[in-house]
Amino acid sequence: MPDPDLILITKLAETHRRLGELYGLPVWQPHGDPTAQLVATILSQNTSDVNTARSFRALVDVYPDWQAVVDAPEQELIEVIRSGGLANQKAPRIQSALRHIYEERGDFDLHWLADLPVAEARVWLTQMPGVGNKTASIVLLFALGRPAFPVDTHVGRVCRRLGLAPTKASADKVMAIIETFAPDDWFYPLHKNFIQHGRTTCKARKPRCQGCVLRNICDSFR
């Protein structure tokens, strides 16, 4: 009987190869500012990249440092980041997260997380309200260069349809599967290319299956 783990690893490797040929292999270049990444990722929840960038720029233009963000009246911060959407929810989440960091560490620096095992760093980050595994993994992967695999709606959808994860697997389950079976240096290009593929081909409502480079290895292709 075929080994299911070997089948999954083989499919994952072929998926990585084909998407790399189609979209290229993005270079993993961590930018090194985990606190800024945390704030930006909270701002990115349920909005577009354009709105995220606009609201983050507005925030850093108004406030000279993270302490000023914490000290700002909540309603003022809401107005500053309103362009990002859901500002009434995101403003208190941002202030709560920053307060938590300061209360635990005495400053706003999160670089020390790079020295922890990924699982421990993720647990520490997800203690903060509004910070789940996806947000924590984005901070670790994009800012600190740690091998964590963020799963958004596009990533989860593509993985489930391909059969890399069960059809009803949660985002956390998809994350665990990829982190178990993919090499660390695949996490960044897989994450970026799954998102690109989900946006352009494996769309939620009308997937473009006939033109998909993965159709003959996809469990959902008919």
Side-chain angles (χ1 to χ4, degrees):
M1 183 175 179
D3 182 347
D5 287 354
L6 181 58
I7 292 172
L8 191 151
I9 291 168
T10 302
K11 177 180 281 192
L12 184 57
E14 184 62 12
T15 298
H16 177 58
R17 184 187 70 79
R18 293 188 192 185
L19 293 182
E21 288 182 353
L22 181 62
Y23 302 119
L25 292 175
V27 178
W28 190 8
Q29 295 180 315
H31 59 71
D33 193 341
T35 308
Q37 184 67 68
L38 175 63
V39 171
T41 306
I42 293 172
L43 287 169
S44 76
Q45 294 166 356
N46 298 297
T47 194
S48 67
D49 291 346
V50 171
N51 286 342
T52 299
R54 184 182 296 123
S55 58
F56 183 77
R57 175 50 55 193
L59 184 149
V60 298
D61 282 348
V62 170
Y63 302 111
D65 53 36
W66 300 123
Q67 187 63 56
V69 177
V70 171
D71 293 340
E74 183 179 296
Q75 190 58 44
E76 177 187 284
L77 180 58
I78 288 171
E79 294 305 320
V80 169
I81 65 170
R82 188 169 294 283
S83 61
L86 299 177
N88 289 345
Q89 298 175 27
K90 294 175 183 178
R93 283 180 186 173
I94 289 168
Q95 290 182 316
S96 176
L98 291 172
R99 287 192 191 101
H100 178 86
I101 296 168
Y102 191 85
E103 288 168 2
E104 291 290 318
R105 302 292 301 179
D107 56 35
F108 298 102
D109 181 30
L110 290 177
H111 287 89
W112 60 276
L113 289 170
D115 297 326
L116 294 181
V118 167
E120 290 183 24
R122 191 183 275 137
V123 166
W124 194 91
L125 285 165
T126 55
Q127 293 174 0
M128 292 180 268
V131 178
N133 282 329
K134 183 187 81 170
T135 296
S137 296
I138 288 172
V139 171
L140 294 170
L141 181 72
F142 283 80
L144 295 174
R146 302 292 289 131
F149 188 74
V151 177
D152 72 351
T153 55
H154 298 295
V155 174
R157 180 172 66 253
V158 174
C159 287
R160 294 183 197 102
R161 285 178 174 172
L162 279 170
L164 295 172
T167 55
K168 295 185 178 180
S170 66
D172 288 350
K173 178 64 175 177
V174 175
M175 177 188 75
I177 290 170
I178 300 301
E179 289 188 352
T180 298
F181 292 103
D184 292 356
D185 60 353
W186 287 11
F187 289 4
Y188 182 79
L190 271 176
H191 172 78
K192 298 288 284 187
N193 285 343
F194 277 146
I195 290 175
Q196 181 70 10
H197 201 62
R199 286 175 173 170
T200 60
T201 301
C202 194
K203 297 186 175 187
R205 294 193 176 183
K206 293 183 178 180
R208 298 173 176 174
C209 298
Q210 290 297 333
C212 179
V213 298
L214 303 174
R215 62 187 179 277
N216 69 329
I217 60 170
C218 180
D219 286 6
S220 300
F221 179 65
R222 298 290 184 270

